[in-house]
Amino acid sequence: DSPSCLAAHPAGEIQGLNKVPSEQLTGVRDPPSLNLYTGPMAGYTMIFLNQGDDALPFFQDQKVRQALLIGLDRRKIIEEVLHGQGLQADSPLIPGTWAHATDLPAVISNHEQARQLLNEAGWRYPVPQQPVREEGDVIEIRPTPVVGPGDVPIRVKDGVPISFTLYTNNNPLQVALARAVAAEWQDIGVQATVVPV
């Protein structure tokens, strides 16, 4: 396995390694006796949205789907979770294959535009009015937003919160990617609960 290989190199038992996991990249970057080379692999991570489930009406809205896409800073996720060892895809077809369209526009992350799209689609932060205290004929009203776990505000439309489960396999790297995605979406008012299976 990779940890054994990393330990075997300084001992002189091996001369090289292949496919170093991203969490162990620092161990191969530092030794002067190792040269690190990177190359693209034919693989990618995708998010599939269940547009056929009536309990998830937000996925049927194009503006919401667009907001979810531009609400992700994929470059940041690649740098932080994959330690820079990934390429941002703007198509489900891998670059270098015959079917990849090289003229597709790049998808640029923009949280402010994502928030605007959600607002335009009617997904807003609700502010129910709740009386706090009464003094004579004066009632003080203080707004309280609808929040999810951790007191994170969630957008709502027609009483439905924009909240869903983001399933991933139990590979630690995929779980870390899913959690990074959920954190990005949380910033625009969307709650995705990561469940490894």
Side-chain angles (χ1 to χ4, degrees), residues 20 25-26 28-29 31 34-38 85:
V20 178
L25 282 175
T26 53
V28 297
R29 284 184 173 147
L34 282 175
N35 294 316
L36 181 62
Y37 299 97
T38 61
Q85 299 300 299

Side-chain angles (χ1 to χ4, degrees), residues 167-189:
Y167 291 101
T168 183
N169 64 33
N170 61 3
N171 176 303
L173 184 59
Q174 295 292 39
V175 173
L177 285 169
R179 287 186 176 145
V181 166
E184 289 279 314
W185 283 340
Q186 178 179 308
D187 187 55
I188 62 170

Side-chain angles (χ1 to χ4, degrees), residues 15-64:
Q15 294 177 325
L17 311 169
N18 182 25
K19 195 175 177 187
V20 178
S22 60
E23 66 272 9
Q24 296 175 337
L25 282 175
T26 53
V28 297
R29 284 184 173 147
D30 297 337
S33 60
L34 282 175
N35 294 316
L36 181 62
Y37 299 97
T38 61
M41 292 177 51
Y44 48 88
T45 297
M46 295 180 72
I47 299 170
F48 293 94
L49 306 176
N50 186 353
Q51 297 179 39
D53 189 341
D54 291 336
L56 307 169
F58 35 83
F59 289 150
Q60 298 166 12
D61 189 323
Q62 182 179 357
K63 286 186 178 183
V64 171

